[in-house]
Amino acid sequence: MPNMTDNQITSNVDPSEIEKFSQLAHRWWDKESEFKPLHAINPLRLDWIKSHTSIEGRLIVDIGCGGGILSESLAHNGAQVTGIDLAQKSLKVAKLHALEGAVKGLEYLEVSAESLAQERPGFYDVVTCMEMLEHVPDPSSVVCACAELVKPGGWVFCSTINRNLQSFLMAIVGAEYLLNLLPRGTHEYAKFIRPSELIAFAEVAGLNVVGMTGMHHNPLTQRYWLGEGTNVNYFLALQRPAD
Ligand code: SAH
């Protein structure tokens, strides 16, 4: 597994991305807001994670947790969750929401994945990094940090957006310009990641690919589902080999 340099630890963040999410932070828990799609897909990703491993009583780190949509649901399912993000406002909202709901087993930290990997190597049973990799300058560095954070035999679950004409038309033109599902500028085409690239990052980091699925959306029925076809959104299940 390659070592992180100090420079990577502090520099693998795009301040304009953090600003974008900070601006919207007060709306994380408004299910009709810009975050509606994340609320809609949350049960799907939670079930998908649970189809690979049990999460009750497990130590989980949720990287790029935002307002805590996934983190809270993991904690509700009995996991001990650390949510990390670099957007301070989002973390405040996440903490407040957990406090109001008296959610147990949840901590939120303002720290990069790379730094936490140095502080807590091999600490977590499960790492989740969903809808985040397409917002960082160097996603391979985050994947390496995921591999360092997870225990031998543990799981890493990632999701992101493929890079091709179809994903450009659906995730940017459709979602941001035609359907107004997401604010314009949420996603940048060049930062999308092909499955082959993500798999290569995982392999370099020493993780095995165990599963992959596409996530689909019908804007007319507003239904989301998982299934074959990774042309637009997709999830990857990775495992660190047992020692
Ligand atoms: N994972 C959450 C939120 C996805 S939105 C979910 O799926 O529900 C993307 C999140 O990544 C935002 O909260 C943003 O602040 C965070 N983010 C962007 N760059 C980051 C970085 N370099 N380190 C940590 N978090 C980052």
Side-chain angles (χ1 to χ4, degrees):
M1 216 175 287
N3 285 327
M4 307 285 153
T5 63
D6 282 353
N7 196 33
Q8 269 174 302
I9 289 171
T10 48
S11 71
N12 191 19
V13 55
D14 179 342
S16 68
E17 290 280 1
I18 299 302
E19 180 52 27
K20 216 154 58 183
F21 287 100
S22 297
Q23 295 270 332
L24 299 171
H26 58 291
R27 299 227 270 272
W28 271 108
W29 286 94
D30 176 352
K31 291 188 178 169
E32 294 306 315
S33 73
E34 293 82 352
F35 297 113
K36 184 175 178 172
L38 293 179
H39 286 281
I41 67 172
N42 202 50
L44 289 180
R45 53 195 189 176
L46 189 62
D47 282 350
W48 190 71
I49 291 168
K50 290 192 329 194
S51 75
H52 288 90
T53 179
S54 67
I55 58 176
E56 196 177 346
R58 300 297 170 101
L59 290 169
I60 302 186
V61 59
D62 183 24
I63 297 173
C65 62
I69 297 172
L70 179 63
S71 309
E72 262 203 28
S73 64
L74 293 165
H76 280 306
N77 278 262
Q80 291 283 325
V81 183
T82 306
I84 68 168
D85 205 289
L86 293 176
Q88 220 175 60
K89 283 190 186 165
S90 297
L91 291 172
K92 273 193 187 159
V93 169
K95 282 181 195 165
L96 198 62
H97 195 268
L99 197 69
E100 281 171 354
V103 187
K104 300 242 171 9
L106 194 47
E107 67 170 346
Y108 287 110
L109 304 175
E110 186 186 342
V111 64
S112 69
E114 290 89 342
S115 298
L116 191 68
Q118 293 226 323
E119 285 168 34
R120 299 181 180 176
F123 185 77
Y124 292 97
D125 299 296
V126 174
V127 178
T128 56
C129 183
M130 309 207 101
E131 315 305 325
M132 181 273 190
L133 292 170
E134 68 275 20
H135 298 285
V136 296
D138 180 3
S140 69
S141 161
V142 176
V143 175
C144 280
C146 292
E148 291 182 353
L149 282 160
V150 76
K151 290 177 188 171
W155 291 85
V156 177
F157 299 100
C158 299
S159 68
T160 190
I161 306 175
N162 201 339
R163 192 176 68 255
N164 53 44
L165 181 62
Q166 191 184 345
S167 69
F168 174 71
L169 292 175
M170 295 189 68
I172 296 185
V173 180
E176 296 183 16
Y177 289 82
L178 300 178
L179 301 170
N180 293 323
L181 278 175
L182 295 172
R184 293 176 185 185
T186 297
H187 287 121
E188 229 176 278
Y189 178 72
K191 286 186 173 163
F192 287 174
I193 305 166
R194 295 193 176 127
S196 58
E197 294 165 342
L198 189 49
I199 288 170
F201 298 157
E203 285 172 352
V204 167
L207 297 168
N208 294 328
V209 179
V210 180
M212 176 152 79
T213 184
M215 185 179 64
H216 308 277
H217 176 224
N218 179 339
L220 297 177
T221 58
Q222 301 206 20
R223 194 178 145 247
Y224 289 85
W225 70 97
L226 302 185
E228 274 182 29
T230 53
N231 270 357
V232 187
N233 296 85
Y234 65 96
F235 297 177
L236 212 54
L238 306 163
Q239 208 172 10
R240 178 168 165 179
D243 274 345

